[in-house]
Amino acid sequence: MDDVSRTSLDAVSLGIMWDRLVALTDEIVSTLVRSSFSTIVYESYDLTCCVLDADTQTIAQGTFGIPAFIGSAPVTARHMLAKFPPETLREGDIIVTNDPWLGTGHLFDITVMRPVFRKGRIVAYTVSITHLPDIGGAGFGSAAKEVYEEGLRLPILKLYEEGRRNELVVEIIRTNVRVPEQTMGDIMANVACSEVGARELNAFMDEYDLDDLTELSAAIRGQSERQMRAKLAEFKQGTYRNRIKVEGFAEPVELAVALTIDGDGVTADFNGTTGCVRAGVNVPFCYTNAMVLHAIKSLTLPSIPNNQGSGAPITTQAPPGCILNAQPPMPTGGRHAMGHFVTPLIYGALSEAAPEAVQADSGMMNLITFQGTRTDDRPFSALYFAAGGYGALEGLDGWSTLPHPSNMAVVPVEVWESLTHTTILDKRLEIDSGGPGQWRGGLGQVVRLRNDTGHILVSLGMGNRTLYPAKGIFGGGEGRLRRHEIAGSEVHAKGRLEIQPGEVMTIVEAGGGGYGDATARDHDAVAADVANGLVSTDAARDVYGWED
């Protein structure tokens, strides 16, 4: 830490330049969103953009960004530079990969990196990551038995070399995907935003008369690391353990963690976790590590912009071959359906060390891929996103239908219907779905989608919380379970299903867990819940002891 903490920058200058870098990275995000072709990027913001210094240390990321991508970006950059060393790179080179073990954990995200040159040498790298609408294979789901079934796997390669696009790579991608215009359109949006990033970063350096970013990077990361270490030192020292059961595919799996707080550092060890399964819910280590970084930072320094300094005191370990450190060729398509449980697993372990900071479990987000043909005979592949309820915190009810630990946005109904020619019949909150407590868990929702395409509609599910509800904390109650139905019959929330023309799919999202004893809930708060249709009168009387 000593090397990254030394700086001649005063606090005011550092604060201004740090904010400017974040704003610059937000401009990269804006370019990506405005240029993209698919709703998963321009509506749901399943993306991350960041700036790395010449040593591939993250110094700034866009305000909108997926937690898993934030943690994986610098690791992927180092893999890229191992294949293409910095001294071999030229102006206009753009490197890409979607390899699950080198990138974000599954084939459906592409990482695009561009070196930023100034006066003939590399001073930084811009990295953008987006979820692609399709990458071929079986599609984005969890039913595959091997990674080879899941789609096209791109090794680390140059999409552009000195400004010239590799048309063979483009042709290979277009030949292997269902929606080539969308997929290549999104990839080119990544290229466009990297160009903007390089231009804006040079303009920033012109303004401050900087020849490199070494000192500024060290100052930013040093500030974050010092604050992270100070926060961790406040926690009760020791090793804290937690173990939970999670829906695998055919049967449950167990996730285990031993979290050791030693001075101003923390280690998360997942020894004891179940091995991989023959379904696309296995999690490469890069994703597990990213979720650990997110969980710890959200409990300690949620308001400080992300950079590599805040992650320096955090160490992650997982035995190779366990479901949180999957090895090739295990399938990983729906790795988030398992990997998102790293966050509540860690929160549960830290409930004794930091009881005022942790929250009850959340109902989590739900992603379903829909593939089909529209009424105008055009093929489509699109992701439908909905969220369960947020877990309650001390002094705060959980928000309804708010995703956690990821943070994607919902595609508006009008946009979805225009894209897919399906119809969203209704969306409503699911009354009583939030776990009871002194502070109530957030509600889930019910969505009904009708296949009006005139063709068979394929759904690829990755749902969890169908067997194990969001747990309450400190006496709080559990949230209600997630459920999927087609034509009125309950179906498996994971796997490939077909929806016939005219049939309706019903998606019931899980509720978040409650915090504290429900009988201690404020009487007026219960009355407001009843008046707003969040809690039924019967539940208010039976669970909360409410009398109107």
Side-chain angles (χ1 to χ4, degrees):
M1 188 174 65
D2 292 340
D3 289 339
V4 298
S5 62
R6 287 197 291 263
T7 177
S8 62
L9 292 170
D10 63 88
V12 174
S13 297
L14 176 60
I16 292 172
M17 295 170 78
W18 191 349
D19 286 346
R20 285 288 305 279
L21 278 174
V22 173
L24 181 157
T25 316
D26 281 340
E27 184 68 21
I28 302 175
V29 172
S30 179
T31 303
L32 177 59
V33 170
R34 291 168 182 262
S35 305
S36 65
F37 280 50
S38 66
T39 57
I40 194 65
V41 178
Y42 69 75
E43 293 288 357
S44 294
Y45 281 76
D46 194 346
L47 57 87
T48 282
C49 297
C50 54
V51 174
L52 280 58
D53 67 16
D55 294 322
T56 65
Q57 301 286 332
T58 307
I59 54 177
Q61 66 143 104
T63 305
F64 292 97
I66 299 297
F69 296 173
I70 296 162
S72 70
V75 179
T76 307
R78 286 172 205 136
H79 284 301
M80 289 175 165
L81 293 180
K83 183 167 183 179
F84 298 107
E87 61 271 17
T88 69
L89 297 178
R90 299 292 180 265
E91 182 76 55
D93 286 355
I94 295 180
I95 307 171
V96 305
T97 188
N98 72 332
D99 188 298
W101 288 273
L102 306 179
T104 70
H106 67 184
L107 293 172
F108 306 92
D109 301 324
I110 191 156
T111 301
V112 179
M113 185 182 80
R114 177 189 181 120
V116 179
F117 283 83
R118 182 173 179 83
K119 298 180 180 179
R121 65 187 185 91
I122 296 174
V123 294
Y125 300 91
T126 59
V127 176
S128 63
I129 308 171
T130 56
H131 186 109
L132 296 174
D134 188 64
I135 199 63
F140 182 35
S142 53
K145 299 294 190 294
E146 291 184 310
V147 70
Y148 309 112
E149 302 172 38
E150 294 184 313
L152 180 65
R153 184 174 170 187
L154 298 170
I156 293 172
L157 56 85
K158 288 185 181 180
L159 181 63
Y160 277 77
E161 189 160 8
E162 296 188 59
R164 297 185 299 275
R165 193 169 78 167
N166 189 327
E167 296 301 333
L168 177 58
V169 172
V170 173
E171 185 177 358
I172 290 171
I173 295 172
R174 291 182 61 89
T175 303
N176 280 275
V177 301
R178 296 170 178 84
V179 284
E181 289 79 12
Q182 278 185 263
T183 300
M184 275 311 306
D186 277 6
I187 292 173
M188 293 307 297
N190 281 273
V191 172
C193 78
S194 70
E195 173 70 23
V196 169
R199 183 188 69 206
E200 293 298 316
L201 197 56
N202 267 289
F204 167 83
M205 296 176 73
D206 285 341
E207 182 176 347
Y208 288 97
D209 194 25
L210 298 174
D211 287 330
D212 63 46
L213 297 172
T214 303
E215 184 180 17
L216 179 58
S217 172
I220 289 172
R221 290 182 289 110
Q223 180 87 335
S224 297
E225 182 175 347
R226 284 191 298 275
Q227 293 195 44
M228 174 61 81
R229 291 190 182 278
K231 278 290 185 182
L232 290 173
E234 294 174 2
F235 284 16
K236 185 178 177 182
Q237 303 289 295
T239 297
Y240 304 91
R241 302 180 187 277
N242 193 20
R243 180 180 292 269
I244 61 175
K245 283 191 174 182
V246 179
E247 301 91 336
F249 192 87
E251 57 186 25
V253 301
E254 283 195 337
L255 307 181
V257 70
L259 208 69
T260 300
I261 301 173
D262 184 9
D264 59 1
V266 59
T267 298
D269 188 340
F270 294 95
N271 190 40
T273 293
T274 299
C276 289
V277 299
R278 295 275 289 175
V281 294
N282 303 292
V283 189
F285 181 78
C286 56
Y287 192 88
T288 299
N289 181 63
M291 295 311 297
V292 171
L293 296 176
H294 162 71
I296 299 298
K297 188 174 186 301
S298 69
L299 290 177
T300 52
L301 299 174
S303 61
I304 292 182
N306 274 312
N307 61 71
Q308 211 132 1
S310 57
I314 303 169
T315 302
T316 305
Q317 301 168 354
C322 80
I323 202 167
L324 294 178
N325 189 357
Q327 303 296 304
M330 301 308 297
T332 65
R335 49 60 171 140
H336 67 278
M338 188 69 57
H340 281 177
F341 283 96
V342 168
T343 297
L345 183 69
I346 287 177
Y347 285 1
L350 286 177
S351 59
E352 181 184 347
E356 73 290 342
V358 298
Q359 67 179 77
D361 289 357
S362 293
M364 296 189 171
M365 73 175 198
N366 195 7
L367 283 173
I368 305 174
T369 301
F370 288 97
Q371 297 171 348
T373 305
R374 309 186 333 168
T375 56
D376 58 6
D377 293 328
R378 292 181 59 186
F380 69 87
S381 178
L383 271 175
Y384 188 79
F385 163 73
Y390 201 82
L393 300 91
E394 182 181 21
L396 191 64
D397 291 340
W399 289 274
S400 296
T401 68
L402 184 71
H404 184 259
S406 195
N407 54 351
M408 292 167 59
V410 176
V411 177
V413 169
E414 298 82 0
V415 174
W416 177 264
E417 291 180 341
S418 297
L419 173 67
T420 66
H421 293 190
T422 63
T423 302
I424 304 295
L425 298 176
D426 50 54
K427 296 176 70 174
R428 59 177 173 81
L429 293 177
E430 174 80 334
I431 191 171
D432 291 336
S433 58
Q438 183 176 2
W439 293 284
R440 174 186 42 75
L443 273 62
Q445 61 183 307
V446 180
V447 180
R448 293 194 307 137
L449 179 149
R450 187 176 64 209
N451 177 12
D452 287 336
T453 66
H455 306 274
I456 292 175
L457 180 65
V458 173
S459 74
L460 301 167
M462 293 162 280
N464 48 33
R465 294 275 186 229
T466 57
L467 295 177
Y468 302 100
K471 293 180 180 179
I473 194 169
F474 304 132
E478 298 175 338
R480 192 172 288 177
L481 291 169
R482 176 172 282 115
R483 190 174 73 257
H484 289 185
E485 297 177 357
I486 294 178
S489 298
E490 189 167 355
V491 295
H492 202 300
K494 294 183 174 76
R496 183 184 187 277
L497 299 167
E498 292 187 354
I499 306 168
Q500 300 299 318
E503 286 186 338
V504 174
M505 182 173 192
T506 302
I507 305 161
V508 182
E509 296 299 333
Y515 187 113
D517 185 354
T519 59
R521 185 165 176 77
D522 181 76
H523 181 278
D524 291 340
V526 179
D529 286 345
V530 173
N532 292 324
L534 307 180
V535 174
S536 67
T537 302
D538 288 345
R541 291 170 177 162
D542 297 342
V543 178
Y544 291 99
W546 177 73
E547 296 180 1
D548 55 1

